[in-house]
Amino acid sequence: MLIIPVKDGENIDRALKRYKRKTRNTKLINQLRENKHFTKKSVKRRKQIEKACYKQHLQDQENQ
């Protein structure tokens, strides 16, 4: 559970912005979305490998 202390006289929009930043940093929403549907371990692993290949490709292009 996230706790966002709001100071006296602080704008509510600013507090909401801090809350959104904290939730994004904890990756809470991504976990909830992942748990919505079951994905097999083989599919997860395949996606991880594809992502790693893509990152490696970008890194190789940058180094050339």
Side-chain angles (χ1 to χ4, degrees):
M1 180 178 201
L2 293 174
I3 298 173
I4 309 295
V6 180
K7 299 170 187 164
D8 291 336
E10 184 180 15
N11 192 354
I12 190 70
D13 293 329
R14 191 143 170 85
L16 278 172
K17 195 171 194 176
R18 281 193 293 139
Y19 171 75
K20 288 179 183 178
R21 190 179 325 125
K22 270 194 176 184
T23 55
R24 194 174 350 134
N25 290 344
T26 58
K27 300 178 183 176
L28 179 69
I29 294 175
N30 289 343
Q31 287 176 352
L32 289 174
R33 286 182 183 153
E34 280 180 14
N35 292 339
K36 233 183 222 185
H37 305 285
F38 178 76
T39 54
K40 295 188 333 184
K41 287 186 178 183
S42 60
V43 175
K44 279 185 185 179
R45 182 72 180 140
R46 193 178 318 133
K47 286 199 184 262
Q48 277 183 333
I49 291 171
E50 286 175 359
K51 190 174 179 181
C53 289
Y54 177 73
K55 282 186 174 182
Q56 186 66 41
H57 176 70
L58 289 178
Q59 194 175 35
D60 289 344
Q61 281 184 339
E62 189 177 285
N63 290 336
Q64 289 179 349

